[in-house]
Amino acid sequence: MDFKEKIRVIPDFPQPGIRFKDITTLLMDGKAYQAAINELVEKLKGTEIDLVVGPEARGFVVGAPLAYALGVGFVPVRKSGKLPAETIEVKYSLEYGKDALAMHKDAIVPGQKVLIADDLLATGGTISATLDLVKQLGGEPVGASFFIELSYLNGRQKLEGLDIISLVQYE
């Protein structure tokens, strides 16, 4: 399936000059959504995975069904103050400012093999912060998977050494 034709591109969102890649059109198409998850599962065959970790919010719509299909647990990564139990946090830089991500302290047992999943790899900031959380809890990152990769933003460089899978690349 050509997933790129299922992704809507919105010019000048959220600001002029940005061509936003909107996956909601892919998600609304049940067959395309299922095919995207199935293709990621296929590409992950042979990889030992205990948990999938996904940052909010779109990491949930990729990570949770991926975890389900793999028969492993899912761990949500949320913005600061959104998780009810004791958390760890990491601050990171955005294009215009700073943010913080949090994960429950008991979400990962040291030594567990962790896959990070999100809808999009752009600059790598959010995924790098998520990776920091995984490592703080003793998880062993085994890779990261995405529906979309914006290759021209060089996010892979921030995640050097991590196996990266993306279904669609924009050069």
Side-chain angles (χ1 to χ4, degrees):
M1 177 173 290
D2 183 1
F3 296 112
K4 199 177 249 187
E5 70 181 34
K6 298 290 182 181
I7 297 166
R8 174 171 45 198
V9 178
I10 301 174
D12 299 320
F13 182 83
Q15 61 190 29
I18 303 290
R19 293 180 49 79
F20 187 82
K21 310 308 184 274
D22 179 18
I23 66 163
T24 61
T25 46
L26 183 147
L27 298 175
M28 291 185 302
D29 181 333
K31 290 191 184 324
Y33 188 13
Q34 185 178 44
I37 295 299
N38 288 343
E39 188 161 327
L40 288 175
V41 168
E42 188 62 33
K43 290 177 181 284
L44 290 163
K45 277 204 171 145
T47 305
E48 187 181 338
I49 300 167
D50 299 312
L51 289 172
V52 175
V53 170
E56 73 174 53
R58 290 172 299 212
F60 296 1
V61 299
V62 177
L66 191 54
Y68 175 82
L70 293 167
V72 301
F74 175 74
V75 175
V77 172
R78 305 274 333 253
K79 293 194 185 303
S80 184
K82 299 288 186 181
L83 291 169
E86 191 176 358
T87 61
I88 60 167
E89 275 191 21
V90 65
K91 290 179 177 25
Y92 68 106
S93 294
L94 297 168
E95 192 172 354
Y96 299 104
K98 296 195 178 293
D99 210 344
L101 291 176
M103 182 186 295
H104 280 138
K105 257 189 171 172
D106 61 356
I108 296 173
V109 174
Q112 283 186 305
K113 309 250 185 274
V114 177
L115 174 76
I116 298 170
D118 203 356
D119 68 321
L120 176 87
L121 174 59
T123 64
T126 301
I127 301 307
S128 184
T130 302
L131 190 57
D132 286 351
L133 290 169
V134 168
K135 289 178 179 178
Q136 280 184 48
L137 293 178
E140 294 180 21
V142 296
S145 60
F146 307 92
F147 281 173
I148 301 169
E149 180 177 357
L150 305 179
S151 304
Y152 57 90
L153 292 177
N154 302 313
R156 278 182 186 252
Q157 279 73 358
K158 257 195 186 155
L159 308 175
E160 199 169 325
L162 197 61
D163 286 335
I164 310 256
I165 297 169
S166 54
L167 298 182
V168 175
Q169 292 81 34
Y170 289 89
E171 303 295 326

